Amino acid sequence: SKYAVLVTGGAGYIGAHTAKALHELGYFPVVYDSLSSGFREAVRWGAFVHGDIRDSRALGEAMETHGVKAVIHFAGLIEVGRSTVKPDLFWEHNVSGTVSLLSTMREKGVNRLVFSSSAAVYGQGGRGPLESIPESAPKAPASPYGDTKLACEWLIDAQCRAYGLTAVALRYFNAAGADPSGQIGEAHEPESHLIPLAIAAALGDGKPLTVFGNDFDTPDGTCLRDYIHVNDLAAAHVAAIEADLPAGAFEAVNVGTGKGASVLEVVEAVGRAVGRPVPHSIGARRAGDPPSLVADPSRAQALLGWKATRSSLDQIVTDALRWERSPAYGSGVRGPAGQRRAKV
Ligand code: UFG
């Protein structure tokens, strides 16, 4: 293989898709995951090391054993709502975890990093609903989760300048869909994301969907988001690992399509894919939801030579549905193995 890449959080949703993409492009993924929210069943490519990112001894050992040359760092806590009630936990896992990872990389001479950041660094998104967000837009996170992502970006940027680390922070918009193989896909517990909830509602395995508000300043009154296929997102990580950047460079790059879809457009697309309408009602706004978060993805194209190629809403929803109907989803992830996981 080309070389070994440590994938922290590689048993999670985006991490597992990236491990598969790395494998397909000739790299050797070394998944490092505590399985606190990831799934052992999702680790199917390369090697697996069970560990916590705050454990620098175990991290260092994994880097040495496999001759790791680069790190893609997904591991962290992601639930925005939970971060508002347990901010300390988010700082501990996300920020202290990144401190531990960076010092271990330095100790082991690993000088290339791709970091999972988020559109959450832009907070309410700032400008009007039809304006896309460039990387230079004001950074004003609206949750402790977003604070930790921005803090990690600053930390990484400073270490690039100080020690010659080369890093790309990818600011994801709304990751969605699944690998078309049906082997891996999205499975959060509890599920809070729109597309899986809408599919469950249409299939009759879940509650009817509540649309969180239809009085936003957007074309149909529901929130606009930039849904990006998880395989497009995975490809962006490989492009970021391969980008020709000088030593010491730090780059923050949006990963989105540049096109927004409303909650009602998603509901329609899920209805088309399932062949049955999504039972839904209009409810109150969810606290903190910005009206519009749509990427300006031009920098990703210029810097990484990357753009979305499989992120039409219909493609995303079709792939998400295939996964939710797959045996892997039914047995591994929702079955006994899924329930065995320890909670953070
Ligand atoms: N929504 C509903 N009903 C639901 C669930 C969601 O109407 O039952 C709406 C939300 O209000 C929002 C849209 O569907 O307008 C998408 O919601 P998601 O929860 O799927 O995703 P978010 O945009 O809230 O969150 C995503 C990522 C977070 C990240 C955040 C900000 O999942 O990790 O974007 O970047 F922090």
Coordinates of all heavy atoms in Angstrom, one line a residue, residues 201-204 267 270-279 325:
A201 N -39.7 7.3 9.4 CA -41.2 7.7 9.4 C -41.9 7.1 8.2 O -43.0 6.6 8.3 CB -41.3 9.2 9.5
A202 N -41.3 7.3 7.0 CA -41.9 6.8 5.8 C -42.1 5.3 5.8 O -43.0 4.7 5.3 CB -41.1 7.2 4.6
L203 N -41.1 4.6 6.4 CA -41.1 3.1 6.4 C -42.1 2.6 7.5 O -42.3 1.4 7.6 CB -39.7 2.5 6.7 CG -38.7 2.7 5.5 CD1 -37.3 2.2 6.0 CD2 -39.1 1.9 4.3
G204 N -42.5 3.5 8.4 CA -43.4 3.1 9.5 C -42.6 2.5 10.6 O -43.2 1.9 11.5
V267 N -38.1 16.0 2.7 CA -39.3 15.2 3.0 C -39.9 14.7 1.6 O -40.2 13.5 1.5 CB -40.3 16.0 3.8 CG1 -41.7 15.4 3.7 CG2 -39.9 16.2 5.2
V270 N -37.5 12.0 0.2 CA -37.6 10.7 0.9 C -38.9 10.0 0.5 O -38.9 8.8 0.2 CB -37.5 10.9 2.4 CG1 -37.9 9.6 3.2 CG2 -36.1 11.4 2.8
G271 N -40.0 10.7 0.3 CA -41.2 10.2 -0.1 C -41.1 9.5 -1.5 O -41.6 8.4 -1.7
R272 N -40.4 10.2 -2.4 CA -40.2 9.6 -3.8 C -39.4 8.3 -3.7 O -39.7 7.4 -4.3 CB -39.3 10.6 -4.6 CG -40.1 11.7 -5.3 CD -39.3 12.4 -6.4 NE -38.1 13.0 -5.9 CZ -38.0 14.2 -5.4 NH1 -39.1 15.0 -5.2 NH2 -36.9 14.8 -5.0
A273 N -38.3 8.3 -2.9 CA -37.4 7.1 -2.8 C -38.2 5.9 -2.2 O -38.0 4.8 -2.7 CB -36.2 7.4 -2.0
V274 N -38.9 6.2 -1.1 CA -39.6 5.1 -0.4 C -40.8 4.7 -1.2 O -41.3 3.5 -1.1 CB -40.0 5.5 1.0 CG1 -40.8 4.4 1.7 CG2 -38.7 5.8 1.8
G275 N -41.4 5.6 -2.0 CA -42.6 5.3 -2.7 C -43.9 5.5 -1.8 O -45.0 5.0 -2.2
R276 N -43.7 6.2 -0.7 CA -44.8 6.5 0.2 C -44.5 7.8 0.8 O -43.3 8.1 1.1 CB -44.8 5.4 1.3 CG -46.0 4.7 1.5 CD -45.8 3.6 2.6 NE -45.0 2.5 2.2 CZ -44.2 1.8 3.0 NH1 -44.2 2.0 4.3 NH2 -43.5 0.8 2.5
P277 N -45.5 8.7 1.0 CA -45.1 10.0 1.6 C -44.6 9.9 3.1 O -44.9 8.9 3.7 CB -46.5 10.7 1.6 CG -47.5 9.7 1.4 CD -46.9 8.5 0.7
V278 N -43.9 10.8 3.5 CA -43.4 10.8 4.9 C -44.4 11.5 5.8 O -44.8 12.6 5.6 CB -42.1 11.7 5.0 CG1 -41.6 11.8 6.4 CG2 -41.0 11.2 4.0
P279 N -45.0 10.7 6.7 CA -46.0 11.3 7.6 C -45.3 12.4 8.4 O -44.2 12.1 9.1 CB -46.4 10.2 8.5 CG -45.7 9.0 8.1 CD -44.7 9.3 7.0
R325 N -32.2 -0.5 4.7 CA -32.9 -1.8 4.4 C -31.9 -3.0 4.4 O -32.3 -4.1 4.1 CB -33.6 -1.7 3.1 CG -34.9 -0.9 3.1 CD -35.5 -0.8 1.7 NE -36.9 -0.4 1.8 CZ -37.5 0.2 0.8 NH1 -36.9 0.4 -0.4 NH2 -38.8 0.5 0.9

